[in-house]
Every structure is written in C-alpha cells, then in structure tokens.
C-alpha cells in the first residue's frame, strides 16, 4: 500500500511577543477522503521569565479520523555564555478526512505569561477517494495501514534504536489478515527483528491499532540515513496484497573525540568478566582447559566486537565459540556475548592468559570508559610434578583404578548389599514429627497475629469529628500516613486509572515538593546538586529527563493513556531510587 503524503512546509504565520513566542502550524491544501496527512504545530518560547501557562488548545478535528499523535521537545542554545535558550515544542497528529468538501482547520491557542497567542485558520479542499487502487481501499471497512515508529531519531553510530511496526485499521478482523513481515537489507545499518509477537489491540477515537513487530536498528554510518519501509502481506480477499510502512530518517551523530586507541565499536554500558571453567582442578601441560570471556550490559550487543586473546608461545588456543543472549526492553537492547576458548598450555610453571583492552562509549554520559585488559594467571604442572604431589593413599587409589580398568575381573554379586525396606511403620517417630510440626505452626501464627495487631495500630488515624467531604477525608488520611512516598505513588495510580490527568500532575508536583523537603532543598537547582552528591550523576540525569517529559505531557493538548502509564512507571522507579 502506498499513500501520497503531502510535503509539509512550515509557514510561520504568527510571531508575537517581540520574538519571544513563536506559534506556527503546517498547512495542507488538497486531500482525498481517507488520505493520511500530518498536521504539525510548532511552539518556540525564548526568555528566562517566559512560562507556558496553558496547554495547547487544538482546533476542532471532529471531521478527521485521528490515526496517531506524537510530540517532541528540544532545547536550543542561542548564547551559551549569556544563558539564552529557546524551548521548542513540536506536536504532530496523523489525520485522515472523513468526507469530501471544504473543511476548515481552526486556530491553535496557547497562553504564555498571561498573553494569548494563536495561529490563523485555513481551509482544506477534500476530494473523493480514487477507487482504482490496487491495494486495500481506504474508503471501505477493509482499510489497513502500517506505521513504523522510532523512539529516538538522533543517536550515535552503532547505538541501537528501538523501532515498532504498528498496524492501524477500523476493522478488528483485518489484524488477523496481516503476516509475513519482511525487512529489506541495508548497507548503512543492521535491522534485527527481536519480537514477532503481536500485542493486544488498542483502540482510540474509532481507530484500532496493534503492534505486529519490534525491531532494533544498528546504524553503521554517521549522517542522515533513512530506514527503508518494512513490508507485510495483507489478505482482505483471496489474493494477498503487499503493503509497506513509512520510511523513517535518523540523524546519526559521530562519536566524540577522545576515543581510546583500542576502541572498536562498543556503544552503550558494559561490564566484562573472565573466568575459568576448570576452577579447582590441577592444570597439566598439554591438557586442554576452558576459558570464558563474557561481556554483558546494554547497547549494541548483536554487533559487539569482543577483545581477543593475545598470542603467546606459552599456550595455543582455538577459535572461540560465540554465544549471544539479548532481549529488547523499553530502555534498549540488553544481554551478553560469551566467548568460550579452548586453551592448551605448552609450558610448565606460571603462565598468563591476557586479552586485549576493552573500552566502550556511554551515550547517556557522553564519555568513553576504559575497562583495561583482562588477565588470568594459571599454574601449569608436568605429570611428574602432579604425581609427586600425591599422597600414598591417592597413589593406591590410582593403581586400583588402573587395575579395575585394564584387568578382566569376575562379575561380583552385590544383591546382599541392598538395603532392605522396613516392613512396619514406626508410629512413635510419626507422632513425634506431628507434635513438632504443630508446635512450629502455633508459634508462626502467634507471631503473625502480633505483627498484624502492630500494623493495624500504626495505621489507625484519628479523624476530627467534623462534617467533611470524602475528598477532604481522603486528603487528611494521606497526610497522616507514615510512608508519604508509598501513599503518593498509590494516589497517582488511582488518578491515572481514573484518567484524571489534571489532578495527576498536581499530585506529582506534591510528590516532587515533599522529596525536595526531604533533601532540605528549596529550589530545583539545589535539589539536583544534592541529589547528584547523594545518588550520583546517572540518577540525576534520569530525574532531569523525567522532569522534561512531565512538562511536555502536562501542556500537551491531547493526553495519551499509554504515555501517562509510561510516565507513572518512570515516576515510580526513579523516585523509589531517590527515596531509598
């Protein structure tokens, strides 16, 4: 299926507030019924004291089917020394007209520092759909679209990117008719399908969607590269049709300077471990032993180049057996690469198995980490040294084993060595065990009952004998709880499940305020400084990114349940680490 998506040209229609606030919307002129197009809104706010007070108020889009939506936030530095930055917010909807005719797209409104900014409305001419298409007709109930969604479009070379192939349709039965997902090979990147399992069908505003494939993208070149469309077969009738997704562009950045001379291609965060599978044994010259090198972590596991074992006259080794274990998660590709070496010592005495240096680039911290060279020292002995070290009893055992293996001996009757089973039951032992078991059970329930009473006593909250509403009573109970963090998280979950998004963000602000008080921080800057000192830079960076996501979703014109769920899980995870 191929759709003509119009080229979106940004026309900066409204520039108000002495250049400090810029609000613009993309325009489209001619469309066909059920033809997909993208409507993009750009909001730029510059200045230290400029604050967005209201979410973007989207125009009336009831005459369009909403197929999907996305948002992105960028901080653009104009003058780093003076601290001048531009907060750029981009909101995008994928729409399709429902009927032919002249359709007006109204103004987009936003309030910044008490002032209302808006875009100019414009008209769109919608024509009837062309019925001569060889693919699924968009105008009937058998329409189905593929959309390739990429989480992060700006990455470093060799940094894995997660991509999701999602199918959209009005008819639930169409999802059973999609299969045979195929990825075309590309020279500038590796595309690996990590999941073939279809997700649960989701529905939003009359359009159902289902994830039909999850992929990991490994860009091998820097610059602007494009992920080719991913195809699948669709069988609405007897003859299968081939449909394709959209192409996605990636901005692949070069790795920064300061690269170690032995750096190869490891991008992510890794740990390395060298072990001996023959631990505890005596190592003998010319006898093989097994050495295992394991690199684990998160990053480009699938294309990782492992450090090699250095050559030496003290030993010989064979090509290692490589095993890759990986799994795609929300945070990226995690797993391990294992190299198993067979090494044969050729020298008696102390020898050293030394591997090449290993380093990786961490895209989160934007720096290189050198783990150095892995080395394993072994004490190799000759057969004579091993024999001399044995005791008299061990020598007798060796001689006996040699005789049993080499000399023919008659078959021994061992029937009399079998232990006969008892014919009767010892009831004294049975009753004694039952009495002991009953005693332990009674003690267990007694201790459990005491703990339950203490717990109920702690949770008992005296309430004032005044007439209050249910909301006031709930708020009073929350304030008197001992563990405010767990109560705030539970309250956030309730608001999330009730889709009460305004109260959800207010409750988050309260959680954030209580957390700052716990660290004796009055403002955001002081809190981040104390958090970095107490918990480290990595957790502080995760907290900063979460804050940006919260602000982005808080002022979004349309809230996605999926995004709110992701935010809740992120809040729960990050604040649990902060409050430890």
């Amino acid at each position: 299926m191929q759709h003509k998506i119009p080229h979106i040209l940004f026309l900066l229609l409204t520039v108000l507030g002495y250049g400090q606030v810029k609000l613009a919307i993309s325009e489209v002129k001619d469309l066909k019924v059920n033809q997909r197009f993208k409507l993009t809104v750009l909001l730029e706010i510059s200045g230290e004291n400029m604050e967005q007070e209201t979410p973007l108020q989207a125009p009336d889009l009831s005459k369009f089917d909403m197929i999907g939506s996305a948002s992105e936030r960028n901080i653009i530095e104009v003058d780093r020394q003076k601290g001048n930055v531009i907060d750029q917010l981009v909101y995008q909807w994928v729409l399709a007209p429902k009927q032919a005719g002249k359709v007006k797209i109204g103004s987009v409104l936003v309030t910044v520092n008490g002032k209302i900014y808006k875009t100019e409305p414009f008209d769109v001419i919608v024509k009837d759909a062309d019925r001569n298409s060889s693919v699924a007709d968009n105008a009937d109930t058998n329409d189905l679209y593929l959309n390739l969604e990429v989480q992060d479009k700006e990455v470093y070379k060799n940094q894995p990117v997660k991509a999701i192939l999602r199918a959209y349709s009005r008819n639930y039965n169409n999802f059973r008719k999609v299969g045979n997902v195929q990825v075309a090979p590309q020279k500038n990147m590796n595309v690996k399908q990590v999941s073939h399992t279809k997700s649960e069908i989701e529905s939003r505003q009359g359009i159902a969607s289902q994830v039909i494939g999850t992929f990991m993208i490994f860009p091998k070149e820097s610059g602007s590269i494009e992920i080719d469309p991913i195809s699948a077969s669709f069988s609405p009738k007897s003859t299968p049709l081939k449909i394709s997704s959209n192409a996605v562009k990636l901005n692949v950045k070069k790795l920064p300077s300061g690269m170690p001379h032995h750096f190869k291609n490891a991008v992510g965060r890794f740990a390395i471990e060298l072990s001996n599978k023959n631990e505890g044994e005596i190592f003998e010259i010319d006898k093989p032993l097994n050495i295992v090198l394991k690199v684990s972590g998160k990053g480009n596991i699938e294309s990782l180049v492992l450090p090699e074992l250095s050559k030496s006259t003290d030993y010989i080794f064979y090509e290692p057996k490589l095993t890759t274990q990986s799994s795609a998660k929300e945070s990226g590709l995690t797993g391990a690469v294992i190299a198993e070496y067979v090494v044969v010592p050729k020298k008696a005495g102390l020898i050293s198995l030394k591997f090449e240096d290993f380093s990786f680039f961490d895209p989160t911290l934007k720096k290189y980490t050198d783990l150095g060279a892995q080395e394993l020292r072994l004490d190799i002995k000759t057969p004579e040294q091993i024999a001399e070290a044995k005791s008299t009893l061990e020598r007798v055992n060796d001689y006996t084993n040699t005789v049993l293996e080499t000399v023919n001996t008659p078959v021994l009757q061992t029937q009399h060595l079998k232990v006969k089973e008892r014919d009767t039951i010892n009831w004294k032992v049975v009753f004694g065990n039952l009495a002991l078991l009953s005693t332990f059970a009674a003690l267990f329930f007694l201790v459990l009952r005491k703990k339950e009473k203490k717990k109920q006593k702690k949770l008992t909250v005296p309430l004032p004998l005044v007439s209050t509403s249910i909301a006031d009573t709930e708020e009073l109970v929350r304030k008197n709880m001992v563990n405010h963090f767990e109560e705030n998280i539970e309250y956030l979950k309730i608001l999330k499940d009730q889709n009460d998004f305004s109260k959800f963000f207010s409750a988050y602000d309260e959680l954030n305020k209580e957390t700052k008080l716990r660290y004796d921080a009055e403002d955001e800057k002081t809190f981040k400084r104390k958090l970095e000192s107490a918990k480290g830079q990595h957790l502080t960076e995760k907290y900063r990114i979460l804050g940006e996501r919260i602000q982005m979703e808080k002022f979004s014109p349309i809230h996605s349940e999926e995004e709110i769920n992701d935010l809740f899980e992120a809040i729960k995870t990050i604040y649990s680490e902060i409050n430890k």
Side-chain angles (χ1 to χ4, degrees):
M1 179 186 302
Q2 296 181 354
H3 299 282
K4 295 182 178 179
I5 302 177
H7 182 66
I8 300 176
L9 298 176
F10 268 94
L11 300 177
L12 303 181
L13 301 177
T14 308
V15 181
L16 299 174
Y18 305 102
Q20 291 184 326
V21 177
K22 181 188 298 182
L23 182 62
I25 187 171
S26 62
E27 289 191 15
V28 61
K29 297 298 182 182
D30 298 327
L31 294 171
K32 294 181 180 179
V33 174
N34 294 309
Q35 178 184 349
R36 292 186 298 172
F37 74 98
K38 295 179 182 178
L39 183 66
T40 307
V41 175
L42 172 67
L43 173 62
E44 289 185 354
I45 302 175
S46 60
E48 294 184 8
N49 300 321
M50 304 298 291
E51 182 180 356
Q52 182 182 350
E53 298 177 353
T54 63
L56 277 179
Q57 182 177 341
D60 181 17
L61 302 176
S62 60
K63 295 184 179 179
F64 299 89
D65 285 327
M66 182 172 292
I67 299 173
S69 62
S71 58
E72 184 178 2
R73 183 179 186 181
N74 300 309
I75 304 297
I76 303 173
E77 293 186 356
V78 179
D79 191 338
R80 180 176 296 181
Q81 295 180 351
K82 295 182 179 180
N84 294 335
V85 297
I86 297 177
D87 191 359
Q88 185 184 79
L89 305 175
V90 180
Y91 297 94
Q92 191 172 78
W93 298 275
V94 179
L95 307 172
K98 295 180 180 179
Q99 59 188 17
K102 188 176 182 180
V103 182
K104 179 182 287 294
I105 295 181
S107 301
V108 178
L109 304 176
V110 68
T111 302
V112 178
N113 281 25
K115 196 177 219 178
I116 299 178
Y117 298 86
K118 69 176 183 177
T119 61
E120 293 296 330
F122 61 93
D123 294 328
V124 178
I125 305 300
V126 182
K127 300 178 181 179
D128 289 328
D130 186 6
R131 298 284 180 168
N132 295 324
S133 176
S134 61
V135 296
D137 190 358
N138 294 342
D140 59 27
T141 57
N142 287 326
D143 61 329
L144 185 135
Y145 309 98
L146 296 182
N147 188 47
L148 185 62
E149 304 169 0
V150 177
Q151 290 182 339
D152 193 356
K153 296 182 181 179
E154 188 171 351
V155 295
Y156 288 97
K157 180 181 177 182
N158 291 316
Q159 180 181 354
V161 185
K162 185 177 179 180
I164 295 175
L165 183 64
R166 189 183 292 270
Y168 291 88
S169 179
R170 298 184 187 89
N171 189 348
Y172 278 56
N173 293 327
N174 283 339
F175 297 116
R176 297 182 300 173
K177 304 173 184 178
V178 181
N180 193 22
V181 177
Q182 294 183 349
V183 181
Q186 294 186 241
K187 294 182 179 180
N188 54 3
M189 68 179 69
N190 291 328
V191 183
K192 175 180 174 59
Q193 186 168 359
V194 295
S195 175
H196 305 264
T197 306
K198 294 183 179 181
S199 69
E200 296 292 333
I201 298 176
E202 303 174 7
S203 182
R204 184 187 302 171
Q205 298 186 4
I207 297 294
S209 65
Q210 184 181 43
V211 176
I212 62 174
T214 304
F215 306 85
M216 295 304 299
I217 314 295
F218 303 89
K220 297 188 291 186
E221 299 177 0
S222 58
S224 179
I225 63 176
E226 185 174 86
I227 305 174
D228 291 340
I230 298 177
S231 63
S233 63
F234 178 51
S235 305
K237 299 178 182 179
S238 58
T239 303
L241 303 173
K242 185 178 180 181
I243 57 178
S244 300
S245 70
N246 56 308
V248 179
K249 287 188 177 181
L250 296 179
N251 180 23
V252 183
K253 299 179 290 186
K254 293 182 179 179
L255 295 177
S257 58
M259 181 185 303
H261 69 278
H262 52 267
F263 175 82
K264 294 184 178 179
N265 73 333
V267 177
R269 180 173 295 180
F270 302 97
I272 190 168
E273 179 185 356
L274 181 62
S275 61
N276 175 21
K277 293 184 69 174
N278 306 89
E279 192 71 31
E281 298 181 8
I282 298 176
F283 307 117
E284 186 177 349
I285 190 172
D286 291 330
K287 292 292 181 68
L289 52 94
N290 300 99
I291 304 299
V292 178
L293 180 72
K294 180 179 179 181
V295 177
S296 58
K298 180 180 72 174
N300 58 330
I301 294 292
E302 296 288 340
S303 59
L304 196 64
V305 178
L306 295 180
E308 296 181 355
L309 179 60
S310 302
K311 295 182 179 180
S312 174
T313 56
D314 297 343
Y315 55 84
I316 62 173
F317 61 91
Y318 300 93
E319 286 294 325
K321 175 185 176 183
L322 297 179
T323 305
T324 303
Q325 303 168 350
S326 62
S327 62
K329 299 181 179 179
E330 291 298 326
S331 58
L333 191 66
T334 61
V337 183
I338 302 172
E340 296 187 27
Y341 284 85
V342 176
V343 181
V344 181
K346 291 296 181 181
K347 172 189 172 183
L350 193 64
I351 66 172
S352 176
L353 305 179
K354 190 173 183 180
F355 284 78
E356 297 175 339
D357 293 68
F358 179 73
S359 59
F360 62 87
F361 175 73
D362 190 338
T364 304
L365 302 178
K366 298 181 180 179
K367 70 174 186 179
Y368 295 93
T369 300
D370 190 356
L371 298 180
Q374 298 296 310
E375 186 176 5
L376 186 63
R377 295 181 178 272
L378 302 175
D379 188 12
I380 309 300
K381 298 183 179 297
T382 62
E384 292 79 10
Q385 291 174 328
I386 296 175
E388 291 177 0
K390 291 182 178 180
S391 64
T392 305
L393 182 59
E394 289 176 336
R395 293 178 184 178
V396 172
N397 288 338
D398 291 343
Y399 178 76
T400 303
N401 291 334
T402 303
V403 172
L404 291 175
E405 292 175 358
T406 57
V407 179
N408 293 327
T409 57
V411 179
L412 301 178
Q413 293 183 358
T414 59
Q415 184 67 29
H416 62 281
L417 296 177
K418 290 185 179 180
V419 179
K420 296 182 179 181
E421 296 182 359
R422 296 180 61 90
D423 296 331
T424 60
I425 299 175
N426 193 335
W427 292 104
K428 292 183 179 180
V429 176
V430 173
F431 287 122
N433 290 336
L434 288 176
L436 186 61
L437 183 62
S438 301
T439 304
F440 280 119
L443 290 175
F444 174 79
F445 284 113
L446 183 61
V447 173
L448 186 65
R449 187 175 180 183
K450 287 184 178 180
K451 288 186 177 180
E452 189 67 26
K453 288 183 178 180
K454 289 182 179 179
K455 186 176 179 181
Q456 292 178 359
K457 186 176 180 181
K458 288 182 178 181
L459 292 178
T460 302
V461 180
L463 297 176
L465 299 176
V466 294
S467 178
T468 57
S469 64
I470 296 176
D472 294 337
T473 304
E474 181 184 6
E475 183 67 19
L476 184 60
V477 172
R478 290 180 62 249
K479 289 183 178 180
N480 284 277
M481 287 295 292
V482 176
N483 194 339
H484 291 280
F485 168 71
E486 293 182 357
E487 181 63 16
N488 284 332
I489 290 297
E490 186 64 27
Y491 186 52
L492 279 174
K493 184 177 184 302
I494 294 173
L495 295 176
K496 173 184 70 71
D497 295 338
Q498 294 177 351
N499 293 332
D500 194 344
F501 300 129
S502 59
K503 288 187 178 180
F504 177 86
F505 291 112
S506 299
Y508 168 77
D509 292 338
E510 181 181 346
L511 170 63
N512 184 260
K513 183 178 179 181
E514 290 182 3
T515 306
K516 290 179 181 177
L517 290 176
R518 186 171 179 265
Y519 278 77
D520 294 329
E522 297 181 355
D523 53 30
E524 186 73 9
K525 185 176 181 181
T526 306
F527 176 66
K528 288 181 180 179
R529 177 172 52 81
K530 291 188 175 183
L531 180 62
E532 183 175 358
S533 176
K535 299 295 184 178
Q537 183 180 2
H538 180 61
L539 182 59
T540 306
E541 181 66 15
K542 290 168 66 177
Y543 168 78
R544 184 190 65 79
I545 295 174
L546 174 63
E548 291 183 357
R549 289 181 61 191
I550 290 288
Q551 293 300 317
M552 188 73 178
E553 187 64 25
K554 181 178 181 180
F555 293 108
S556 175
I558 298 176
H559 296 295
S560 166
E561 292 184 13
E562 182 178 357
E563 180 65 22
I564 295 295
N565 287 333
D566 292 342
L567 281 178
F568 171 75
E569 294 299 331
I571 291 170
K572 183 178 178 181
T573 301
I574 293 174
Y575 277 83
S576 296
E577 296 181 19
I578 293 175
N579 285 275
K580 281 183 180 179

